[in-house]
Amino acid sequence: MTLTIVTLLPGLQNTNGDAENATVLVRRAQWAGLDARVIAVDSRDDLPERVDAVVLGSGSDSSLEASRDALLTMHDELRVWGTEGIPILAVGTGWELLSWGIERADGSSLEGLGVLPGRAVPRGARVTGDLVVASSRFGLLVGFENHARDYVGAEGSPLGRVRSGSGNGRDGGQEGVVMGAVIGTHLHGPVLAKNPAFADQLLGMMAQRSGLEYAPGERAALVDGYAAAARDAQLGAARAAASVDDA
């Protein structure tokens, strides 16, 4: 059996390299001795017969309408995947497009697909910087946030609590949203490269659904050492920034 990871709209939704989360899943699956492939999907006609995980990266605001229109053609499939427990990882504007909708600073709004609860709303100023999140489900997550909107209306189902950074904003102390196997987050990086344990949990979900067993391969241990060093450096920078802010 070949595990198929779909990356949605990589030509529009990959400004932070977040579409490469699909590559992380495939590589780790292969290192574990499993067959896996990435399928790039730009329209409904590109969808493979079988889907084991979905990645939707972040794009620019100029591509919001085009991305939303393309995703609408796959609205039914997205809902079915979410209901069936197929992991869907959506980052940045990709996540916002799966929400109830996006409100923009000029007063206009864009209706989302309604796959995830909550909506994106304008904030006073863009936030950029390190983001550290403690997730009861996925552990301590690190990444980089870069967004001009806060996220409201999903307080009961966050990905985790913010330890450093802004996250969903509005002083709520929360980051992201989780609905079953559908996950939305501000964490760029790509997040699965910086947080291999997060990737392994998603791979475990994929394997279980397919009647397979997943355990990280030997090659993963080497790569995870690099990820650990990058995580330690980012956590150190976040702690230093917090010390300056508290001074």
Side-chain angles (χ1 to χ4, degrees):
M1 177 183 294
T2 299
L3 295 174
T4 299
I5 295 92
V6 164
T7 177
L8 291 177
L9 314 182
L12 294 172
Q13 298 293 126
N14 194 25
T15 56
N16 294 282
D18 299 304
E20 301 310 318
N21 282 306
T23 303
V24 175
L25 291 173
V26 164
R27 291 290 181 266
R28 296 186 74 83
Q30 292 172 341
W31 295 339
L34 302 176
D35 289 329
R37 62 176 181 166
V38 173
I39 298 292
V41 171
D42 291 307
S43 72
R44 190 177 186 277
D45 293 339
D46 299 330
L47 287 173
E49 185 174 335
R50 177 185 177 87
V51 174
D52 294 289
V54 178
V55 168
L56 177 57
S58 185
S60 65
D61 276 11
S62 63
S63 67
L64 282 174
E65 283 84 356
S67 294
R68 196 274 307 271
D69 291 346
L71 291 172
L72 279 174
T73 68
M74 297 174 266
H75 184 259
D76 291 345
E77 285 81 3
L78 283 160
R79 286 196 173 277
V80 169
W81 295 333
T83 300
E84 293 182 347
I86 293 173
I88 300 175
L89 175 63
V91 182
T93 63
W95 161 31
E96 294 178 346
L97 287 165
L98 296 187
S99 75
W100 296 332
I102 300 168
E103 298 176 14
R104 292 179 281 206
D106 64 4
S108 64
S109 62
L110 185 71
E111 185 176 357
L113 274 71
V115 175
L116 284 169
R119 68 176 62 251
V121 298
R123 55 176 291 122
R126 175 175 291 275
V127 58
T128 60
D130 291 324
L131 178 60
V132 180
V133 179
S135 171
S136 60
R137 184 174 176 183
F138 299 108
L140 188 66
L141 305 175
V142 303
F144 186 83
E145 61 181 335
N146 177 9
H147 53 102
R149 287 181 287 270
D150 290 332
Y151 197 87
V152 298
E155 287 75 9
S157 52
L159 173 62
R161 300 290 299 179
V162 174
R163 291 294 176 261
S164 179
S166 179
N168 293 354
R170 303 295 166 105
D171 297 322
Q174 297 183 340
E175 159 55 21
V177 62
V178 177
M179 181 65 71
V182 186
I183 302 164
T185 183
H186 291 107
L187 286 161
H188 302 293
V191 61
L192 297 185
K194 285 192 172 183
N195 303 277
F198 187 9
D200 286 341
Q201 288 215 38
L202 297 184
L203 283 161
M205 294 163 61
M206 294 163 54
Q208 185 176 32
R209 290 190 71 259
S210 303
L212 303 171
E213 292 186 3
Y214 172 78
E218 292 183 6
R219 177 74 179 278
L222 174 63
V223 174
D224 291 356
Y226 300 137
R231 283 169 55 87
D232 288 345
Q234 187 166 351
L235 289 169
R239 285 192 291 268
S243 297
V244 171
D245 291 342
D246 292 340

